[in-house]
Amino acid sequence: MEMPEPDAEILAKKTQIVARLQAVLPDGAVISDVAEVKAYECDALSAYRCPPLCAVLPADTEQVSAVLKICHEMGVPVVPRGSGTSLAGGALPTADSVILGVARMNDVLEVDYDNRFIQVQSGRTNLSVTGAVEEDGFFYAPDPSSQLACAIAGNIAMNSGGAHCLKYGVTTNNLLGVTLVLMDGEVVEIGGAHLDASGLDLLGLICGSEGQLGVVTEATLKILPKPEGARPVLIGFDSNEVAGACVSDIIKAGVLPVAIEFMDRPCIEATEAFAHPGYPDCEALLIVEVEGSDAEIDFQLGRIMEIAARHNPVELRQSQSEEESAKIWLGRKSAFGAMGQINDYMCLDGTIPVSELPYVLRRIGELSKEYGLGVGNVFHAGDGNMHPLILYDANKPGDLELAERFGADVLRLCVEVGGCLTGEHGVGIEKRDLMVDQFTSADIEAQLRVKDVFDPKWLLNPAKVFPLQATKARRAG
Amino acid sequence: MEMPEPDAEILAKKTQIVARLQAVLPDGAVISDVAEVKAYECDALSAYRCPPLCAVLPADTEQVSAVLKICHEMGVPVVPRGSGTSLAGGALPTADSVILGVARMNDVLEVDYDNRFIQVQSGRTNLSVTGAVEEDGFFYAPDPSSQLACAIAGNIAMNSGGAHCLKYGVTTNNLLGVTLVLMDGEVVEIGGAHLDASGLDLLGLICGSEGQLGVVTEATLKILPKPEGARPVLIGFDSNEVAGACVSDIIKAGVLPVAIEFMDRPCIEATEAFAHPGYPDCEALLIVEVEGSDAEIDFQLGRIMEIAARHNPVELRQSQSEEESAKIWLGRKSAFGAMGQINDYMCLDGTIPVSELPYVLRRIGELSKEYGLGVGNVFHAGDGNMHPLILYDANKPGDLELAERFGADVLRLCVEVGGCLTGEHGVGIEKRDLMVDQFTSADIEAQLRVKDVFDPKWLLNPAKVFPLQATKARRAG
């Protein structure tokens, strides 16, 4: 992956930059030792690595503001980082950048059950947001597979979803407000604990902006009362296409499960070996979960099983206990890890109109044969958010590049059928050059100009999201 | 309401402007006769009036683009107009502007049940979107009270809600994509029939931008399957505050009705006299509606009635038939009209955190006494979206100004308790100068700069949304 040449002037000023940052931060909050800085050289897209100039770990909004003010004055690029779980290289440093990690900012600032929100510092992990309210019967809905580790800051940057977002929406539907520090250090409050906002929807603009517009330090999030109960059903099919058609029919019928998850044979087998969730031996598997009272669950699952039965499933099994449900979900949430145990893989993230599932799954199978690379599918089928895993051998020269080309073809296929380059992982560095397949040059120019407004020097999270040529031209002025 | 001086140069060029517009539009699509133009001199905030230079009624995206290109070249301001139902003066012309009405653009372009969307031209009325799909069991969720008349274009401009948005969300949650014509005539596509979008969330930015960034000509909207059934319950209380506390408790308990509507005595009485919905004689009334199968409805209404019973209601009555339900809703949807029969009123639109309802209702009562002006409350209580109607006498000198000051105090009160200036009516001209109470100057500057990007000459929908001084400074360059 091509990156811009690091700025030699900045590299030469490293000592001075580190000293100024140390002056405004507590002891131990600036990491500049070459060995220690290596911890920040990549995120979960570990095929790409580059150690930053240094990393800082501020404790609050004020410290973030002080860091950005210094970097702004000195013209130093800044890469915001949540927990580093990005699968699209969203937190990949450049050699001349400061990593701004929010990991130490994990306090709960306010819980308000009457108005159903929680305010947290942005470094708090996704699961520990729910952890702070679950004793009182509430939860935070978006649930990325990485929820044990990933930070709310990253969830906001990527507009993350998760298995249960079919019913509850993704981050943007559950975010009420943020404290945002602009690149020049100015602190602004956007949104709050109320419906909608006057003026332009800057909150919506910030959500999913991949650290391009500012650094989110605090977030106000919707919390929901836990449903009375939930129950998944496992449906096995003898082909991917038929499973895709069944998803399309469930959505069309107007049943709204909380989740419809899809796995194909390579993922089922890897997951079964790894986590023993008791999945059936079949080509494709759906996990469909509904929530509510027992009566509601029975009624909804009844309709879903009726629809499934029309597609000749090889297995159709309701969970009989909470233990069984937990095992079924443990399997799904372990699927990426299970695949990682036996393969190097590149995880794609595109969205498509749900009715195109059967066609797109067939085309991915054909592309897999053409490229000679295996592929596993495990994804949120209900909202058309696909995650094909392209399998390759990291030790075989040329295999990564082949996988990248295969991946690009799959994402172009998503755009072709009326879908989109990314569902929840973001564009990052991974897909920046594919933006031209999704957007016209006028569309991209409009986005660049919005970035100009928030970050006129183009210092925030460099070389990502937009095509590299566009970024370079902008930085050159 | 102060408006900027019309541009004398533009007024002088009227004949030339009209001729150029006529050259690119079909016969009859340019309205320039002084008597005919009067039809466009105001929207539903009829206290403010100003005839435009002329009005155009294009038939499609291409014609809109041609109109904007001409106006851009000639430096003529353009005021986009849906059906003119804005309660905030969102479509108020200036004397030197061209009204761009989308009323003739009302075709259905595509219906896709598999992927659950409909694509329409933006002039189509809200209710006729549902009309196009209801035979097949689907509906479009956002339901403003003006849904018989209001256009999707205006719904998008104001991010409109409605009584049933507590469950289904407002326009931004039901909008998948738009065709947008920029002020220079360029046509861009934003979003589409898929989840989320790569790059910046420009769709979210456009939704609710009140015609400041471009003209929406086509929209792709989510459609939902009609629920099996719905049933409202009427709950009467002997004070506004107790009704407010009951709403807060329902929300807190985690039940999610599709609607919680609130009416106080002045509105109940006016509505009963006008539409005879059979409302009880009480100080405050809630209409709470739930949807689902009969079993689900029974279960949810059971919980709601249990909560209501704790607040000593003077009436607690479930609808017993579809006819009764229809009457209850007809009353609610007629409430604004009923009030208009007996009073001049100014309809406010602020949002507050739901738990502040009792306090805010009490303060509004106190302000009503201080100003010596009556007030009626009828609003979407479940999501804290208030619509106090301030009663005044349009024929009494000074009364409108008094009502405006009262209204401004109420909106400041909303901001004070952590709420917002507008829920769904928009800022328009009505609330532009109150923006400084909601936002810091840095916040407003960020919004102005985003506007700069899309409309550098500041020609679109002039003198609205932003404080007048800011707009004037921007236009002066």
Side-chain angles (χ1 to χ4, degrees), chain B residues 168 226-231 258 289-294 297 322:
Chain B
Y168 297 114
K226 262 194 280 192
E228 275 185 88
R231 199 188 310 152
V258 280
E289 179 159 280
V290 300
E291 284 181 356
S293 62
D294 268 343
I297 290 176
E322 286 199 21

Side-chain angles (χ1 to χ4, degrees), chain B residues 452 456-458 470-477:
Chain B
D452 288 340
K457 295 189 183 177
W458 280 70
T471 295
K472 279 183 174 171
R474 232 66 181 187
R475 281 223 62 189

Side-chain angles (χ1 to χ4, degrees), chain A residues 123-179:
Chain A
R124 195 168 181 89
T125 60
N126 175 291
L127 198 60
S128 69
V129 171
T130 290
V133 295
E134 67 186 342
E135 270 194 26
D136 296 305
F138 286 80
F139 74 110
Y140 174 63
D143 61 336
S145 295
S146 59
Q147 66 184 138
L148 195 65
C150 65
I152 291 297
N155 291 181
I156 294 171
M158 299 310 184
N159 189 18
S160 304
H164 289 75
C165 288
L166 179 57
K167 179 163 182 181
Y168 297 114
V170 294
T171 302
T172 197
N173 308 113
N174 291 277
L175 178 67
L176 296 169
V178 295
T179 301

Side-chain angles (χ1 to χ4, degrees), chain A residues 25 29 31 40 55-65 67-68 78-85 91 98-108 120-126 128 149-157 179-181 211 214-219 460:
Chain A
L25 292 176
I31 295 157
Y40 299 93
V56 296
L57 299 171
D60 57 27
T61 301
E62 212 172 68
Q63 292 180 13
V64 170
S65 169
V67 167
L68 289 178
V78 173
V79 176
R81 181 183 170 102
S83 300
T85 57
V98 170
I99 283 276
L100 194 169
V102 294
R104 287 189 187 171
M105 296 168 52
N106 50 25
D107 285 349
V108 172
V120 297
Q121 284 188 304
S122 67
R124 195 168 181 89
T125 60
N126 175 291
S128 69
C150 65
I152 291 297
N155 291 181
I156 294 171
T179 301
L180 180 79
V181 186
V215 177
V216 172
T217 56
E218 296 171 9
L460 269 169

